[in-house]
Amino acid sequence: MTSGESRDMTLDPVHVDGIARLAGRLGGRMDDTDHDDLAERAWAEFLDPLYYEDEVILEPLGEQRRRAAPLPDIALEERPFDTQHGLDSGTINPTTFKNGLVLDVAQAAMAGVPSDLDLHRSRTVVVSAHTNDVTVDLGDDEWGRTDEGYTHERLLEVPRVDRYAQTVVHALALYLAESHHARANIEAVSDLLILDGPIYPTGLLNWADRHPELADLLESDQQPRDVVENYVRLVETGLEDDVPIVGFVKNSAANGLTRALRTKAGAPWANDNAFFEHVLSRYEGDELRTDAITFTNWFRSRIGTDRVLSSAGDALGVERERDPEAYEVTFFALYDPRDELVYRIEAPYAVTRDADRRERLTMQIVADVAAERGPPVAVAKADELARIEAAAKDQLRERIGQEFDSDRQRTYNERRWGSAYAGSGE
């Protein structure tokens, strides 16, 4: 590109048309209606229960069924829970500095509905750091307090790894901040706690499938176990206080169900959400109906990372005070046709084994999604509190670099696309 050419140059119309025609040649080979038929067969024949290698890995709680809640009526329904709290954690994204340091910064926040200003001010901040320099001891501080006691903070030196340093600093900062903040503020929750994301740290638990070095770290190092233990203790506290803990997963990447179905029905879907979209979408002719929120029953899962906290898993060696099945992941899928989005809602089996409570949780979430056209309001508020905006990320990176007199290592993608690509080298 010469200096006189625009960086905003796009494809010419002739290129767009040509690419579309080329891709269109796939249309005759992949018929989406065939996927609908496969989804119906999988739903009808394989999920009650779902076996994999002679083991039950998924089973319905109660009757397996699909339901529809009419819009906008369901949005106006009275909520089963009088109050709710949401929890989220955000990071600046992993950042590499020229002195070899790789770090991430996470902050967690909890929101209440109705609002609680003191609670909203409270934060948990974790700075996780990694270096391959064996002569350097970064230190691993205990928890401290700032902002008149409203903020818990900690510097965490993560285990040294040859690869995936960014993965490790990100996951440990994010999940340690979230789980610590949840445990530190659970006494503020009286009716319902909704995590923005899964009920267990799946981004950490899936290390076992990513690379042998990460799998070894997950099994042998104390830090990942400490994080998992935080979530186990959070579930136990919720059960002791009779406070349901739910996970609202907006962008589920789970694909264990479709992998299992592939061995039975040749499942073509990229992930579980794609399967549930076929199961839950409703059409009149070729037109998608948008007059109702649709959703499944709850399922009890031992698929993929869900297995670790199930009765078939060892919870990474973390001691569980209750019967292991109490911690098992249960979930239902919800489809909002207005935006063609599938959400996965999780809760521990000890919370959902009771049919009445299961129904109350279902109706609470379905009504909230209908009213908000997205996550429940407590989750949205927690997301706003915990999110670190792009300008703030840049400012933090610069200030951190000044503290130890080193600039961050920049990449060409960052130069080309902006600071949002900082730390995206893995």
Side-chain angles (χ1 to χ4, degrees):
M1 177 180 289
T2 65
S3 59
E5 289 181 288
S6 169
R7 289 187 179 276
D8 296 327
M9 182 188 302
T10 59
L11 292 169
D12 290 333
V14 65
H15 299 142
V16 174
D17 291 343
I19 292 169
R21 284 195 300 272
L22 184 64
R25 288 163 55 184
L26 298 171
R29 308 174 196 178
M30 299 186 68
D31 188 347
D32 206 41
T33 58
D34 293 340
H35 293 187
D36 290 339
D37 293 342
L38 279 171
E40 285 297 323
R41 179 178 173 230
W43 172 263
E45 298 182 12
F46 297 125
L47 301 188
D48 188 14
L50 176 64
Y51 285 90
Y52 184 72
E53 296 182 349
D54 298 325
E55 180 186 1
V56 173
I57 59 173
L58 188 83
E59 57 187 322
L61 294 181
E63 179 186 0
Q64 181 183 331
R65 57 177 175 158
R66 289 170 285 190
R67 302 165 65 183
L71 289 164
D73 299 356
I74 186 62
L76 303 176
E77 288 287 328
E78 184 177 352
R79 303 297 191 269
F81 294 89
D82 294 331
T83 67
Q84 61 175 260
H85 288 75
L87 181 80
D88 194 18
S89 182
T91 79
I92 67 169
N93 294 331
T95 304
T96 301
F97 290 85
K98 294 179 180 178
N99 62 5
L101 193 67
V102 182
L103 62 78
D104 204 349
V105 179
Q107 74 156 347
M110 183 181 286
V113 179
S115 292
D116 180 338
L117 297 183
D118 279 344
L119 179 67
H120 292 181
R121 180 179 171 181
S122 177
R123 295 287 193 278
T124 293
V125 175
V126 174
V127 177
S128 60
H130 173 278
T131 179
N132 281 320
D133 188 343
V134 296
T135 67
V136 175
D137 182 8
L138 299 178
D140 190 359
D141 292 350
E142 299 297 324
W143 288 102
R145 290 179 180 264
T146 58
D147 187 23
E148 301 178 359
Y150 281 94
T151 297
H152 288 198
E153 61 180 14
R154 184 174 177 185
L155 173 62
L156 182 72
E157 180 180 8
V158 306
R160 290 187 173 95
V161 290
D162 292 330
R163 299 177 60 188
Y164 299 105
Q166 292 185 353
T167 298
V168 173
V169 297
H170 177 72
L172 289 178
L174 180 76
Y175 292 119
L176 179 59
E178 178 182 84
S179 59
H180 179 86
H181 199 73
R183 294 188 65 193
N185 293 279
I186 187 67
E187 73 279 356
V189 182
S190 55
D191 293 311
L192 174 65
L193 175 61
I194 311 176
L195 306 184
D196 189 347
I199 58 173
Y200 298 120
T202 55
L204 186 153
L205 295 176
N206 69 19
W207 288 1
D209 296 325
R210 291 197 57 181
H211 189 274
E213 186 178 17
L214 286 176
D216 290 344
L217 186 66
L218 188 63
E219 290 292 334
S220 63
D221 196 88
Q222 187 63 39
Q223 288 183 357
R225 286 201 298 274
D226 287 344
V227 171
V228 172
E229 182 173 5
N230 272 349
Y231 286 89
V232 169
R233 301 294 170 249
L234 177 64
V235 166
E236 290 169 350
T237 301
L239 295 176
E240 291 166 6
D241 297 343
D242 198 29
V243 171
I245 296 174
V246 172
F248 188 91
V249 188
K250 296 177 289 191
N251 298 296
S252 175
N255 61 6
L257 172 58
T258 50
R259 286 205 313 267
L261 288 175
R262 198 167 293 134
T263 66
K264 301 177 181 296
W269 308 287
N271 52 51
D272 297 353
N273 272 7
F275 165 71
F276 282 116
E277 181 170 355
H278 278 276
V279 167
L280 292 172
S281 54
R282 301 151 62 240
Y283 284 86
E284 287 186 359
D286 293 332
E287 185 173 348
L288 177 66
R289 293 181 57 178
T290 60
D291 59 334
I293 298 279
T294 52
F295 50 101
T296 69
N297 56 281
W298 289 80
F299 290 93
R300 184 174 169 184
S301 172
R302 301 183 189 95
I303 298 174
T305 57
D306 295 343
R307 184 180 182 86
V308 180
L309 273 300
S310 75
S311 57
D314 67 353
L316 298 186
V318 173
E319 183 179 351
R320 290 172 281 187
E321 295 178 358
R322 294 173 179 255
D323 190 295
E325 73 173 13
Y327 304 84
E328 291 189 336
V329 175
T330 65
F331 74 92
F332 76 94
L334 181 155
Y335 178 63
D336 188 342
R338 296 170 295 183
D339 297 306
E340 299 183 53
L341 292 175
V342 176
Y343 302 109
R344 172 179 161 119
I345 295 84
E346 300 183 352
Y349 177 58
V351 170
T352 57
R353 59 163 41 115
D354 179 78
D356 289 340
R357 173 178 276 182
R358 199 161 63 232
E359 180 67 9
R360 292 174 65 222
L361 288 172
T362 303
M363 290 298 100
Q364 177 79 33
I365 299 297
V366 171
D368 280 351
V369 170
E372 301 298 323
R373 194 164 178 168
V377 64
V379 172
K381 289 174 68 173
D383 177 82
E384 290 177 6
L385 293 171
R387 185 188 305 127
I388 306 174
E389 301 291 350
K393 291 180 181 181
D394 285 341
Q395 184 181 23
L396 273 171
R397 293 185 185 115
E398 295 300 326
R399 286 284 290 110
I400 290 169
Q402 291 171 15
E403 288 294 322
F404 45 75
D405 195 25
S406 181
D407 291 332
R408 73 174 183 265
Q409 184 178 333
R410 300 175 190 272
T411 66
Y412 182 76
N413 278 344
E414 185 180 352
R415 173 191 165 192
R416 187 177 186 189
W417 303 113
S419 61
Y421 281 78
S424 60
E426 293 185 354

